[in-house]
Amino acid sequence: MVTPEVEPYIRQKFAENAGLTEEQLFTADATLADVIASSPRMTNSIDLMEAFARTANGLRKDYGVRVRLPALPLDTPITTVLKTFLDEFEREQKEAAV
Amino acid sequence: MSIAETDRASSPVIRRSAASDGSPAIITDLYDALTKRGMSLVDVTWEQQRLHESRRWSVVEMLAAVDLDSLTPLDRNLVWNAGRAELTTKPGADRLERQSEAEVRRWQDKNPTVASIMEACGTWSRYWNEEEAHHETVFNRLADLSGMEPISDETFIQFRQVFPDDDMLRTLVLLAISEITAAVNYGQCQHVIEDPGLRRIFKQVAADEIQHRNYFVSFAKALVDSGEYPAKDAFAVAHLFLREDGELHGSARAQLEQRGSHVNWWDQLEVGDNDFRPEALEKKEQLICGALKKITGIEVHSREEVEDTWMDLVGS
Ligand SMILES: [Fe+2]
Ligand SMILES: [Fe+2]
């Protein structure tokens, strides 16, 4: 079971790095391409990669869990990205506990 | 009074030569050259010109040495792919010229040395463009003569689409990696090509690509040395290529981005009936690590270390 505050933590970090509010970022059908297009801070997928890296670094610092995200195509919905992040977090957390 | 008359007046016997001493080379420490050594853009451009001149070769002559009837299906496929890939270099060089120009204006008052680095890069783009013209035409002409599927005007125009702009350091590192990929691919091709004339073409083009890589590395290093561009961005681009399922895997990747805006040549290679793929991923990985060392001074040895270093540099 993922620590309950992790989801809002990831949402907040993503939004912070994208320069968008959580409401703007996590709309039902927004894809990564949409995020790049609407973010005032992002030019291309390198910025996206960096936003994920900062989030992962935050999780490592604040929760001691190391999450690695796979390369995701730009048509991936942001909700799927969030879920992937949470799944990875859970997997890593379990592995660390063993 | 002309220079010749001046010379005659001051020294009637000894004629001063206008040529430079020493063999032409890329200025690998451009930032220091512009600051500590006080080189001007005229000096830098002169070095670019004489290196370019010293490396010129003739497409017409190279083609004359190829025995068309001896080419194997694999040879012809390699030529065809190379010609298509090289079509994308012109928009790359055109864009570099325009982007450098814009960066010069942006930096002129803030940091004149960075403006000079950008200008040196924009100026060099004309040599780059000219050299890539050789690559494009030598391969496409050969593909055409050897009866490969013709490149339609539609494809030609599609491959000419301009890449979107990005941060200049990231752009330069991407271009350096693109040249590494091309050089290694062409190097690999040489091993399977039998016709000596064709082998020589691949060898020449690979050598050109290595020079191009060296130029991109030198401009990128100068930007990092200026303190205005963080090393993190060089590592980000390297990671983009080296990560699992990253750009380095090119057309073999499970999922290719559908861009509609521009063509990445490494996505477009077609294997045909033969199963030769000029991958040599480890070699590319090592060359990318070497480029990162030169650009940032940070030493890494593997894609895992590239990722770890990048993550550290990014922070949280
Ligand atoms: Fe080329
Ligand atoms: Fe090149």
Side-chain angles (χ1 to χ4, degrees), chain B residues 49-99:
Chain B
Q49 173 69 28
R50 67 194 194 104
L51 180 58
H52 174 67
E53 268 187 39
S54 76
R55 299 190 47 81
R56 297 197 86 169
W57 51 279
S58 160
V59 169
V60 174
E61 281 166 26
M62 283 279 202
L63 283 175
V66 176
D67 177 4
L68 278 178
D69 296 325
S70 81
L71 302 186
T72 66
L74 176 59
D75 292 344
R76 292 160 62 231
N77 177 270
L78 296 176
V79 166
W80 185 78
N81 269 310
R84 279 160 51 102
E86 293 289 346
L87 278 173
T88 64
T89 54
K90 184 179 183 294
D94 291 348
R95 165 211 173 193
L96 187 70
E97 183 177 37
R98 272 197 308 274
Q99 200 179 325

Side-chain angles (χ1 to χ4, degrees), chain A residues 13 43-47 49-58 60-61 66-75, chain B residues 165-167 170 174 232-233 235-237 239-240 243-247 255 257 307-308 310-316:
Chain A
K13 276 269 175 194
T43 310
N44 55 38
S45 49
I46 297 177
D47 300 298
M49 229 173 58
E50 199 171 299
F52 295 153
R54 282 189 212 279
T55 307
N57 280 339
R60 197 176 174 190
K61 201 172 75 189
R66 195 173 173 175
V67 178
R68 283 177 83 249
L69 264 200
L72 297 162
L74 287 179
D75 58 1
Chain B
D165 283 355
D166 192 10
D167 165 270
R170 295 197 325 202
L174 183 132
K232 136 185 106 68
D233 288 336
F235 276 85
V237 180
H239 176 57
L240 182 76
R243 67 181 172 171
E244 219 172 292
D245 218 18
E247 302 282 330
Q255 201 150 14
E257 299 291 356
E307 178 172 13
D308 289 346
W310 168 67
M311 292 283 282
D312 286 347
L313 293 170
V314 163
S316 60

Side-chain angles (χ1 to χ4, degrees), chain B residues 25-304:
Chain B
I26 293 171
I27 304 166
T28 52
D29 57 346
L30 185 58
Y31 182 77
D32 283 354
L34 292 167
T35 51
K36 289 184 196 146
R37 300 210 300 282
M39 275 180 93
S40 68
L41 284 169
V42 168
D43 300 331
V44 171
T45 306
W46 169 242
E47 294 305 321
Q48 292 179 357
Q49 173 69 28
R50 67 194 194 104
L51 180 58
H52 174 67
E53 268 187 39
S54 76
R55 299 190 47 81
R56 297 197 86 169
W57 51 279
S58 160
V59 169
V60 174
E61 281 166 26
M62 283 279 202
L63 283 175
V66 176
D67 177 4
L68 278 178
D69 296 325
S70 81
L71 302 186
T72 66
L74 176 59
D75 292 344
R76 292 160 62 231
N77 177 270
L78 296 176
V79 166
W80 185 78
N81 269 310
R84 279 160 51 102
E86 293 289 346
L87 278 173
T88 64
T89 54
K90 184 179 183 294
D94 291 348
R95 165 211 173 193
L96 187 70
E97 183 177 37
R98 272 197 308 274
Q99 200 179 325
S100 301
E101 180 60 26
E103 292 285 348
V104 170
R105 308 294 148 218
R106 194 163 77 83
W107 286 102
Q108 217 164 13
D109 296 326
K110 260 196 293 183
N111 188 331
T113 306
V114 174
S116 294
I117 296 165
M118 297 297 183
E119 181 54 56
C121 177
T123 296
W124 176 71
S125 71
R126 66 180 164 195
Y127 302 114
W128 181 37
N129 220 339
E130 201 264 355
E131 289 169 21
E132 297 294 359
H134 282 54
H135 304 174
E136 175 193 315
T137 51
V138 81
F139 289 128
N140 283 332
R141 175 77 183 154
L142 206 46
D144 202 29
L145 290 175
S146 62
M148 291 300 289
E149 185 197 323
I151 292 173
S152 67
D153 287 358
E154 200 190 349
T155 302
F156 193 103
I157 289 169
Q158 185 204 349
F159 276 52
R160 283 290 202 239
Q161 284 178 101
V162 176
F163 287 66
D165 283 355
D166 192 10
D167 165 270
M168 195 58 152
L169 176 60
R170 295 197 325 202
T171 299
L172 291 170
V173 175
L174 183 132
L175 291 170
I177 295 176
S178 169
E179 298 287 355
I180 287 173
T181 308
V184 172
N185 285 357
Y186 295 147
Q188 294 296 106
C189 292
Q190 280 175 66
H191 298 313
V192 293
I193 290 166
E194 281 177 24
D195 180 71
L198 183 59
R199 215 163 42 226
R200 217 176 115 219
I201 291 176
F202 273 93
K203 192 174 173 198
Q204 177 63 57
V205 175
D208 284 359
E209 312 297 25
I210 286 296
Q211 289 294 316
H212 298 162
R213 178 217 43 195
N214 293 346
Y215 263 114
F216 289 123
V217 165
S218 84
F219 295 130
K221 172 180 161 50
L223 291 184
V224 173
D225 288 349
S226 77
E228 303 280 9
Y229 285 81
K232 136 185 106 68
D233 288 336
F235 276 85
V237 180
H239 176 57
L240 182 76
F241 275 79
L242 290 171
R243 67 181 172 171
E244 219 172 292
D245 218 18
E247 302 282 330
L248 204 56
H249 300 272
S251 61
R253 278 184 293 172
Q255 201 150 14
L256 286 184
E257 299 291 356
Q258 291 305 318
R259 286 186 179 83
S261 58
H262 62 282
V263 173
N264 278 332
W265 63 264
W266 53 82
D267 290 342
Q268 303 294 332
L269 304 180
E270 288 182 16
V271 193
D273 293 333
N274 43 75
D275 52 9
F276 173 77
R277 273 186 179 279
E279 304 206 53
L281 290 175
E282 252 169 59
K283 192 164 190 177
K284 289 172 188 165
E285 181 178 348
Q286 288 319 307
L287 288 169
I288 292 171
C289 289
L292 286 175
K293 167 87 199 299
K294 286 199 181 99
I295 294 167
T296 67
I298 302 170
E299 193 161 344
V300 283
H301 305 95
S302 64
R303 61 199 195 106
E304 290 80 10

Side-chain angles (χ1 to χ4, degrees), chain A residues 1-10 59 62-63 65 86 89-90 93:
Chain A
M1 175 64 202
V2 175
T3 324
E5 72 266 26
V6 167
E7 184 174 335
Y9 179 96
I10 293 174
L59 286 171
D62 295 334
Y63 294 91
V65 178
L86 287 167
F89 183 91
E90 193 167 3
Q93 202 178 31

